[in-house]
Amino acid sequence: MKKAFFELEGWEERIISQHFPLITRTYVSDPNEVFLSKDKVDDFTLPKQNDFEIISIFVNSRITDRVLSAFPNLKCIATRSTGFDHIDLEACKKRGILIASVPGYGDNTVAEYAFGLILNLTRKMFLSIDQVKETSSFTASGHRGVDIKGKTFGCIGTGRIGKEAIKIAKGFGMNVVAFDARPDEAFARENHVDYMSLEKLLQTSDVISVHCPYNEGTHHLINKNNVSLIKRGSYLVNTARGPIIETEAIMKGIEDKIFAGVGLDVLEEEGETRDEMRFIAEGHPQEKELKTIIQNHILMRQPNVIITPHNAFNSQEALERILNTTLENVKGFEGGRPLNIVK
Ligand code: NAI
């Protein structure tokens, strides 16, 4: 089968070539050859060759119906990620294209990162670091934070990553409350977790951390209507997906001083925010998208907001696990034994 891997970093190419020795960066003519590229795939960036049957992508690609029509022979997309909201599932289904993902490559990786954001906010570490680096001033004045021990950790989504986050929270001596569409009662009993409604979680938590997937049911789960339920002086962290929280709700929460701090590894319209020049030049910007991009920039400048560029997955160990599972997914599909297929 003709295969292509997109959005690659150099070290990944070395590992892929150990599994598929015939590689090319120009044109695949032999089905045993693999096309390797650093480029992402989206409406604006399509490769010259289009007869691949399997493509592997990362989260910065956007697989739309238009992209799919550019790959008439495509049978499988192996995404090197847990989330798959960058792929139009319905369009794939209609065309009989399977999607293989990487479940559970870095549950601890993302949970550890969420706590990195939480401690940065609660202890104002980012401000102290900036001050020392930028001014060489060694004064702690203005950097007093709060302890997290004894505070309430509100976990939205208690799957693989949420459970790791809960264990870390317990390690810090926090009380844990949770909201999930499908509560895991056995885990809750064992780990002393209190499941409750989203509304009650928002009212109860000192630190809210989002760990559910983005889907129809989680679109704007936290929004401008329910943000006012959130406890004054609490912290909000999102390492899941941007559109789970309405950007306007974050703006409102900051303006109304509901949040003492907000940490975001993901943003609504993050692709467009990353590549604004191209979006404006080549896309068809809608008023809502432009508004969100401007709001993202306003948030970036807020003193109590820290934003990182979708980086929570990005540890060496996690990336190696992602690539190894993806290679198994590609080989499995090729060998007639599809693995980790998104249902
Ligand atoms: P998972 O599938 O193990 O757990 C998700 C949990 O969310 C499940 O318990 C599920 O019941 C719950 N859930 C689903 N729909 C819900 C709804 N409407 N309301 C409340 N709860 C709901 O997923 P996992 O591995 O824990 O990953 C969670 C998300 O983290 C991924 O979908 C992905 O978007 C994000 N992620 C972000 C990364 C980053 O680099 N920032 C890296 C990896 C994952």
Side-chain angles (χ1 to χ4, degrees), residues 63-76:
I63 306 298
T64 60
D65 196 34
R66 192 165 151 209
V67 168
L68 294 177
S69 59
F71 290 104
N73 298 352
L74 196 61
K75 295 188 173 69
C76 176

Side-chain angles (χ1 to χ4, degrees), residues 121-184:
L121 290 169
T122 53
R123 301 304 303 275
K124 301 192 177 172
M125 284 179 186
F126 64 105
L127 292 176
S128 325
I129 294 166
D130 279 357
Q131 175 195 288
V132 173
K133 275 221 183 294
E134 284 167 16
T135 68
S136 300
S137 158
F138 199 73
T139 167
S141 160
H143 300 320
R144 183 163 306 151
V146 294
D147 287 349
I148 58 172
K149 183 175 180 177
K151 301 281 165 53
T152 298
F153 179 72
C155 189
I156 299 181
T158 55
R160 289 175 293 252
I161 296 170
K163 286 190 173 93
E164 285 293 325
I166 287 173
K167 288 183 202 157
I168 297 174
K170 288 279 169 187
F172 276 108
M174 300 183 83
N175 308 312
V176 177
V177 299
F179 167 67
D180 197 295
R182 287 190 297 161
D184 183 340

